Amino acid sequence: MPTFAPLKNDLILRVAKGEKVERAPVWVMRQAGRYLKEYKLRKGTRDFFECCRSPEIASDLTLQPIDVFDGLIDAAIIFSDILVVPQALGMTVEILDKQGPHFPNPLESPHDGQYSQIMGKEVDVQKELDYVFKAITMTKHKLDGRVPLFGFCGAPWTLFCYMVEGGGSKIFQQVKTWIYKFPTESLALLQKTAEVCVEYLALQVEAGADIVQVFDSWAGELSPSSFKRFSLPYLRYISEKLPLRLKDLNLQPVPMVVFAKGAWYALDALCDSGYNVVGLDWLHDPAEAVRIANGRVILQGNADPGILYGSRDSITALVEEMVAGFGGGKEGWIVNLGHGITLNVNQEDLRFFLQEIHRVTGTSLKES
């Protein structure tokens, strides 16, 4: 394993381990992205996945928010995409301009040849996703201990949705057809994907990731009973098997975060799912989430991303309400949005949000 500079700011890691801290740590999902003018300049005309596959470009994009919001963000997250896992499984994935992810040949049924090919493929994760691991190691060296680095993957359920739907969806007709018409084959593919996710996360840690997050972006499309069958078991599989795989690699365990967007009904179960941190979307009331969690996990979230379109007074009011709801920010909470930064956000409004978090949760504020 590479050797890296000691961390100068380990606030997020300390909170994730349950320690009391001097203020609430903060980072933001999709903090490296197109709302930053610096991102557009560095990306240029390159395809999105071309940027992901270039360790140099991916590391530069990862560092941009750390540099732009110097001293205000407490973690970096590697610039990549959850859909590199379906690519490793053998599927073609594109990012279409103004449309998002697109699978030219999604899985149509268990009877199409592609399903059998995926189920039969021995995935060499180290080889298939080597560019991610190289980007992580390069980024850790460039960070020089400034903040910890997140690795991540998509949850099996969410990856399955994309693999079957061929992209985003409003009604999720195809994946609902799969789970209710072909449940056995669906569960088999979910298990296969979970196994790849464990190896992928373990190798990210080996490359230098300090903490990992599992994104179940489409969890809210499942009913409570379907979530218990088609999502939760595979989230638990990852949280159970990842520490064991790290031990096999002679690596120490790292904090694990799960974020199941829209699955408000599953908060109690997620608190017992084996993760150190449970991410919340903006549908949760902070005080009620704290009551349900009851100290079992650290909570992360959960400002409505839309607040960044609002006035400075609105941002301040939301921050103060959120901090109060989560108990003041000195323990048990990592600040984030309730989902990723949305389009057309002014980066100076995000800077103000970050500054207000620092101010309200009680430490010196780095001036812009």
Side-chain angles (χ1 to χ4, degrees):
M1 183 175 175
T3 301
F4 304 110
L7 284 171
K8 304 178 182 74
N9 175 351
D10 63 350
L11 206 58
I12 274 184
L13 302 183
R14 285 191 281 137
V15 169
K17 293 172 183 176
E19 298 179 19
K20 292 186 177 181
V21 290
E22 54 271 26
R23 66 166 171 84
V26 57
W27 71 285
V28 179
M29 289 180 279
R30 293 190 192 143
Q31 65 188 27
R34 52 190 170 174
Y35 74 101
L36 288 174
K37 58 181 182 291
E38 292 83 359
Y39 170 84
K40 297 169 186 174
L41 291 171
R42 185 66 176 100
K43 179 178 181 292
T45 58
R46 298 177 186 88
D47 171 79
F48 175 83
F49 281 118
E50 183 182 349
C51 294
C52 293
R53 294 189 187 104
S54 166
E56 185 70 45
I57 295 173
S59 65
D60 286 348
L61 295 175
T62 301
L63 286 166
Q64 282 183 346
I66 307 304
D67 293 333
V68 171
F69 305 111
D70 185 23
L72 292 173
I73 291 181
D74 296 300
I77 182 167
I78 194 65
F79 183 85
S80 187
D81 194 270
I82 64 171
L83 298 180
V84 299
V85 167
Q87 288 176 333
L89 287 165
M91 299 191 76
T92 299
V93 188
E94 307 165 341
I95 300 290
L96 301 181
D97 188 42
K98 297 181 181 179
Q99 293 185 44
H102 172 67
F103 288 64
N105 299 297
L107 290 170
E108 295 182 357
S109 83
H111 311 299
D112 77 15
Q114 189 175 199
Y115 176 83
S116 297
Q117 290 173 2
I118 290 172
M119 292 304 298
K121 182 177 181 179
E122 293 290 333
V123 182
D124 186 340
V125 177
Q126 180 71 69
K127 178 182 177 182
E128 296 282 355
L129 298 174
D130 183 59
Y131 58 90
V132 178
F133 312 131
K134 287 180 177 175
I136 287 173
T137 300
M138 185 178 294
T139 302
K140 278 288 290 184
H141 285 303
K142 289 181 180 179
L143 280 169
D144 194 32
R146 292 166 65 188
V147 293
L149 178 63
F150 268 87
F152 70 92
C153 73
W157 163 253
T158 288
L159 297 177
F160 181 55
C161 288
Y162 278 111
M163 293 161 72
V164 169
E165 295 288 342
S169 176
K170 291 184 177 179
I171 62 171
F172 290 85
Q173 175 184 341
Q174 303 306 321
V175 77
K176 296 298 178 73
T177 299
W178 269 77
I179 63 174
Y180 295 127
K181 188 175 284 188
F182 311 115
T184 300
E185 294 87 349
S186 296
L187 293 171
L189 183 50
L190 287 162
Q191 178 62 31
K192 170 105 178 178
T193 305
E195 292 167 6
V196 173
C197 287
V198 168
E199 185 68 7
Y200 180 41
L201 291 173
L203 294 178
Q204 289 184 64
V205 174
E206 185 177 53
D210 301 291
I211 182 171
V212 296
Q213 177 158 317
V214 179
F215 287 85
D216 207 352
S217 306
W218 296 122
E221 298 303 321
L222 289 166
S223 68
S225 62
S226 295
F227 180 82
K228 290 177 183 177
R229 187 178 186 192
F230 295 104
S231 177
L232 187 59
Y234 305 100
L235 295 175
R236 284 179 169 155
Y237 180 88
I238 293 171
S239 69
E240 177 187 344
K241 298 299 183 182
L242 178 57
L244 298 176
R245 180 62 180 129
L246 292 176
K247 186 177 181 180
D248 288 343
L249 294 170
N250 294 314
L251 299 170
Q252 294 298 312
V254 299
M256 299 179 293
V257 186
V258 63
F259 175 61
K261 182 177 179 290
W264 55 268
Y265 50 79
L267 178 55
D268 184 58
L270 288 167
C271 289
D272 288 328
S273 64
Y275 291 83
N276 308 90
V277 182
V278 174
L280 308 174
D281 62 30
W282 66 96
L283 301 180
H284 291 272
D285 174 74
E288 177 64 9
V290 169
R291 185 192 68 78
I292 293 171
N294 194 30
R296 288 176 289 170
V297 294
I298 307 306
L299 297 174
Q300 176 178 276
N302 71 329
D304 180 352
I307 193 63
L308 298 178
Y309 298 129
S311 67
R312 297 293 173 90
D313 286 346
S314 295
I315 292 173
T316 295
L318 179 141
V319 167
E320 291 176 346
E321 179 182 8
M322 185 170 62
V323 171
F326 282 110
K330 296 295 192 291
E331 62 179 324
W333 178 41
I334 297 169
V335 185
N336 209 310
L337 300 179
H339 196 30
I341 295 176
T342 45
L343 285 173
N344 303 316
V345 163
N346 183 324
Q347 64 193 65
E348 292 308 308
D349 290 327
L350 176 58
R351 184 189 304 278
F352 182 74
F353 171 81
L354 297 170
Q355 290 173 332
E356 286 296 88
I357 292 294
H358 280 244
R359 180 183 67 81
V360 178
T361 63
T363 67
S364 60
L365 176 64
K366 180 150 185 145
E367 297 295 334
S368 59

